[in-house]
Amino acid sequence: LSSNTSYDQDRLNYDQQKLRQFYLTEGYADFRVTSAVAELTPDKRDFIITYVVEEGKRYKFGDITVDSEIRDFDNTKLAASLPIKKGDWYNAKLVETSVDQLSEAAGLFGYAFTDVSPDFQRDPETLTMGMNFHIAQAQRTYIERIEINGNTQTQDKVVRREIRLAEGDAFNSFQVKRSQDRINSLGFFQDKMEIKQNPGSAADRVVLETNVEEKSSGELQLSVGYSSLESFIAQASVTQRNFRGKGQELRLSASVSSYSKSVNAGFTEPYLFDTNIALGGDIFRRDYSSYSTSSSSASSAYEQVTTGFQIRAGMPLNEYWSLSARYGLSYDQVTLDADTYYTNGVCDTAIAGTYLCDAVGSRWTSSVGYSLLFDSTNSRLRPTRGRRVTFSQDFAGLGGDTRYIRTTANASQYIDLGSNFVFTAHAEGGYIKGLGQDVRLTDRFYLGDPQMRGFDIRGVGPSVTRSYYDTSTVPATVTDSSTTTRTALGGTAYYQTRFELELPLGAGARELGLRPSIYLDVGAVFGGTKPTLVDTCAVANAAATACVAGTRQYTNSAGELLYLDSSGATTTTNTGTAYTYTLGSYRETYSGNTARPRVSLGVGVNWTSPFGPLRIDLAKALVKSPGDDTKLVTFNVGGSF
């Protein structure tokens, strides 16, 4: 009850229970509510609620012991593992938790129905509460039957193959919990499905009842939106995660934005021929436009079109470890705008830079790789506890034009802190080594938003900054103008760590899909060959004379040089007057190639809104290096119809 709420006798009684629960967790073992009176005010408009309580003495825990009639148990070790310790304030909630923990421990040894009774040993003189947990004799139980109920579309075998126990096995509470996590991770059923343990036909038999409630596993989504990274976005996707009720995944997607276009089709069979082997594949085409940033805008630097396919297979090694292998073949075409960056049909390094001209071309990449995965999380979709570790290597060179070996590793630890607080610690890193050739610009690692918030897309790591001279001064001086550009080159090695705390909200906000968090990002990308840099105004020359900007002669669509005739019209005939344009005088500098960590701190909100997913981040770059490109606010929002 609180001010401005209506009087309710049931809530009055409920508040008494809440008071008792609070005091019993703070050491007051003798607490009781002696009276609760509701008085109507003289104007008969309000009630005054008065609780009279008797707190009693405050107790601490005394000796904690376990007395088990089951011979398999080590009483001393069980007592030491309990959350209550001698000298702590008495807490009735921890007593309940200890009972549950001992029941689960008994379940690990196959005792499904164990009676655990706490014996309270109160000492009013020393104000201590000794505890003895008595575990009664019980029979070891076995699985009599496993029942699957509620699945109308999903085949029984899809659920049963996730259950870690079989009929006739000894009962094991850990395996029951693990089975719940695996079934929930499928994403085919409503959340928080639980496997019930019911008595069987005999005292040593137990029936596992799995009641599932199916939810839609097919998605047809058309969305439009705006991203601070890619401006306008349009996406269309069709996904069936439980195709034909067999747990197969079928997907087709397409997307387009200001800087990328892609289409992808894939299929995965998680249990090939009802064996524990997964097989899948994808075919794809991706059109990506990298860009250079300036203080006022972003412009396209190069365009990469990738067409290819990948086949993959995986199998579990045990309950937590799995191994997967893959083969991929792709064809890359990297181009620059001919009207902007080419002179006489050749990539002009004075305009594009040697680093972009070297990236131009077409090539085949034939690669084979593997991944070793450890996963003990309680959910593949939204884990709140457990650990996930992946180690991967890919070798390119089985034919094709590209040769390298890429190694990556990442690890995530999820900790449920209680009260809906979830802490995540994530670390990852990678290294790519060219085999007999330099690592191409398009194969390197990049870092920035959205992986590392507080920095712009590809805003961390090696880059070339082109600054233009003011040639009207002697010597020429570099101007701080909006035409200064930064082009990210990527690196051959990177690392990143993230610490994130998901904050709890009320039940109403959680139902709306709001998930705020605070985070700390640390990372760097580095390595690679320093490109050839250009300075059109060498210091020695600039100190003596004015710096003269370079020029280029215009060409027509056929690549023929253009000239001006006496009337000022363009012609391909050499009139002696070339039709030219000024390149500008500039200086290129290379920066950011350092393993020095960059650090950002921020807050963000994920919202599964009615009109699509929305993510807003406000992050401040605390530590950066020269050449890095920072960004304070990032948002991504879309809509479905």
Side-chain angles (χ1 to χ4, degrees):
L1 291 169
S2 62
S3 300
N4 302 321
T5 61
S6 301
Y7 171 75
D8 187 328
Q9 179 64 37
D10 291 336
R11 296 176 71 181
L12 182 70
N13 296 333
Y14 176 73
D15 277 354
Q16 292 184 59
Q17 295 300 318
K18 296 296 290 183
L19 277 171
R20 177 172 170 77
Q21 290 175 13
F22 171 75
Y23 271 93
L24 289 179
T25 61
E26 297 294 326
Y28 297 92
D30 298 325
F31 173 85
R32 64 191 184 96
V33 180
T34 57
S35 67
V37 179
E39 299 176 279
L40 187 64
T41 57
D43 60 8
K44 298 184 179 181
R45 297 180 58 185
D46 300 300
F47 276 92
I48 298 175
I49 310 298
T50 304
Y51 294 99
V52 179
V53 302
E54 185 177 317
E55 293 182 341
K57 300 294 185 180
R58 196 178 188 190
Y59 286 79
K60 290 186 176 181
F61 282 115
D63 293 328
I64 310 299
T65 58
V66 174
D67 175 21
S68 173
E69 296 181 12
I70 301 175
R71 291 180 298 174
D72 295 333
F73 291 174
D74 185 324
N75 295 336
T76 302
K77 290 184 178 179
L78 283 177
S81 68
L82 295 178
I84 55 179
K85 305 297 179 184
K86 183 177 181 180
D88 292 345
W89 291 112
Y90 171 78
N91 188 325
K93 179 63 177 177
L94 290 182
V95 175
E96 295 178 6
T97 302
S98 299
V99 171
D100 293 339
Q101 184 172 313
L102 290 172
S103 297
E104 290 180 4
L108 293 176
F109 287 84
Y111 301 95
F113 307 107
T114 307
D115 181 20
V116 180
S117 303
D119 179 22
F120 299 86
Q121 301 167 352
R122 187 192 313 264
D123 188 339
E125 294 184 1
T126 60
L127 295 179
T128 58
M129 182 76 74
M131 299 294 306
N132 178 61
F133 295 92
H134 178 74
I135 304 176
Q137 181 64 48
Q139 286 184 302
R140 192 183 297 273
T141 51
Y142 298 87
I143 308 300
E144 179 179 355
R145 191 169 65 257
I146 298 175
E147 298 178 349
I148 310 294
N149 304 316
N151 54 316
T152 57
Q153 175 188 348
T154 307
Q155 297 183 8
D156 261 27
K157 67 178 182 180
V158 174
V159 182
R160 288 184 181 274
R161 65 196 183 195
E162 302 300 330
I163 297 177
R164 304 293 93 185
L165 293 164
E167 293 169 350
D169 288 351
F171 176 83
N172 187 304
S173 60
F174 174 79
Q175 297 289 19
V176 172
K177 184 65 174 68
R178 179 64 178 166
S179 301
Q180 288 180 185
D181 291 342
R182 291 182 65 93
I183 294 174
N184 284 322
S185 292
L186 291 174
F188 305 159
F189 312 109
Q190 298 295 337
D191 295 339
K192 299 182 179 179
M193 183 281 306
E194 293 185 359
I195 299 177
K196 295 182 179 179
Q197 305 161 25
N198 299 325
S201 59
D204 62 345
R205 296 289 183 267
V206 61
V207 175
L208 299 182
E209 182 182 357
T210 306
N211 295 313
V212 298
E213 182 181 350
E214 290 187 324
K215 63 181 181 182
S216 175
S217 57
E219 297 175 356
L220 171 61
Q221 184 174 8
L222 302 174
S223 63
V224 294
Y226 184 85
S227 166
S228 61
L229 300 180
E230 299 182 274
S231 299
F232 175 78
I233 299 174
Q235 295 177 324
S237 65
V238 178
T239 305
Q240 175 52 262
R241 291 176 285 106
N242 190 14
F243 186 55
R244 299 187 299 165
K246 294 184 176 182
Q248 300 166 336
E249 182 174 319
L250 179 66
R251 56 194 176 277
L252 177 65
S253 64
S255 66
V256 59
S257 72
S258 300
Y259 290 100
S260 66
K261 295 183 287 290
S262 68
V263 61
N264 184 89
F267 177 79
T268 302
E269 167 56 73
Y271 281 79
L272 184 65
F273 305 125
D274 290 328
T275 62
N276 220 351
I277 297 176
L279 182 67
D282 291 275
I283 56 175
F284 54 85
R285 179 181 174 88
R286 306 186 187 103
D287 188 340
Y288 173 76
S289 295
S290 178
Y291 62 85
S292 299
T293 59
S294 69
S295 58
S296 60
S297 63
S299 59
S300 177
Y302 65 84
E303 183 172 290
Q304 178 184 1
V305 178
T306 304
T307 306
F309 71 88
Q310 186 183 81
I311 299 174
R312 58 190 180 279
M315 61 178 294
L317 302 178
N318 57 32
E319 180 62 25
Y320 298 108
W321 288 95
S322 61
L323 178 68
S324 64
R326 56 191 168 271
Y327 171 77
L329 180 65
S330 61
Y331 180 64
D332 290 307
Q333 297 169 283
V334 179
T335 59
L336 292 170
D337 182 58
D339 293 336
T340 305
Y341 297 105
Y342 279 58
T343 300
N344 297 331
V346 179
C347 183
D348 194 333
T349 58
I351 304 174
T354 56
Y355 40 90
L356 291 184
C357 288
D358 289 345
V360 171
S362 301
R363 68 185 187 277
W364 287 93
T365 300
S366 176
S367 65
V368 62
Y370 72 93
S371 294
L372 188 63
L373 170 67
F374 174 84
D375 190 349
S376 64
T377 57
N378 63 333
S379 172
R380 299 188 190 100
L381 305 177
R382 277 196 59 194
T384 58
R385 66 175 185 277
R387 180 180 303 159
R388 184 179 292 140
V389 180
T390 306
F391 178 82
S392 301
Q393 284 190 309
D394 289 276
F395 168 72
L398 299 177
D401 309 304
T402 307
R403 289 172 176 80
Y404 62 75
I405 183 167
R406 177 192 286 119
T407 303
T408 58
N410 64 74
S412 298
Q413 178 72 50
Y414 302 91
I415 303 174
D416 188 349
L417 301 178
S419 302
N420 294 315
F421 283 95
V422 178
F423 178 74
T424 303
H426 174 82
E428 62 179 275
Y431 177 72
I432 182 170
K433 179 176 176 57
L435 302 178
Q437 57 183 226
D438 287 337
V439 179
R440 293 177 180 263
L441 195 69
T442 52
D443 293 325
R444 298 175 186 174
F445 297 111
Y446 292 88
L447 194 60
D449 204 13
Q451 303 98 329
M452 189 165 179
R453 294 150 294 192
F455 294 85
D456 207 345
I457 184 171
R458 297 190 171 190
V460 174
S463 64
V464 171
T465 300
R466 178 174 287 192
S467 304
Y468 287 85
Y469 284 101
D470 179 0
T471 57
S472 64
T473 63
V474 180
T477 57
V478 175
T479 61
D480 186 18
S481 69
S482 61
T483 56
T484 297
T485 61
R486 173 190 181 274
T487 302
L489 303 185
T492 57
Y494 87 102
Y495 67 87
Q496 183 191 7
T497 59
R498 181 181 71 252
F499 303 98
E500 187 161 5
L501 179 64
E502 186 174 316
L503 306 175
L505 292 176
R510 287 199 302 271
E511 290 176 2
L512 289 175
L514 286 171
R515 292 187 292 119
S517 63
I518 58 175
Y519 51 82
L520 178 72
D521 288 345
V522 180
V525 59
F526 53 94
T529 304
K530 181 179 179 179
T532 302
L533 303 175
V534 176
D535 187 346
T536 61
C537 291
V539 175
N541 179 56
T545 63
C547 184
V548 180
T551 60
R552 285 291 183 272
Q553 188 170 356
Y554 282 109
T555 60
N556 60 15
S557 59
E560 298 174 305
L561 295 174
L562 294 178
Y563 298 87
L564 297 175
D565 60 18
S566 58
S567 64
T570 59
T571 177
T572 57
T573 302
N574 190 346
T575 63
T577 305
Y579 182 31
T580 62
Y581 59 93
T582 301
L583 292 177
S585 296
Y586 60 86
R587 180 183 66 188
E588 292 179 336
T589 56
Y590 182 63
S591 60
N593 190 8
T594 172
R596 179 172 175 260
R598 280 70 153 183
V599 182
S600 64
L601 179 67
V603 295
V605 177
N606 273 315
W607 181 27
T608 308
S609 69
F611 49 87
L614 181 147
R615 172 81 190 189
I616 300 177
D617 285 291
L618 178 65
K620 174 67 175 177
L622 303 179
V623 179
K624 61 180 182 177
S625 290
D628 289 346
D629 201 357
T630 62
K631 176 181 283 189
L632 181 63
V633 180
T634 302
F635 68 93
N636 197 327
V637 61
S640 300
F641 52 89

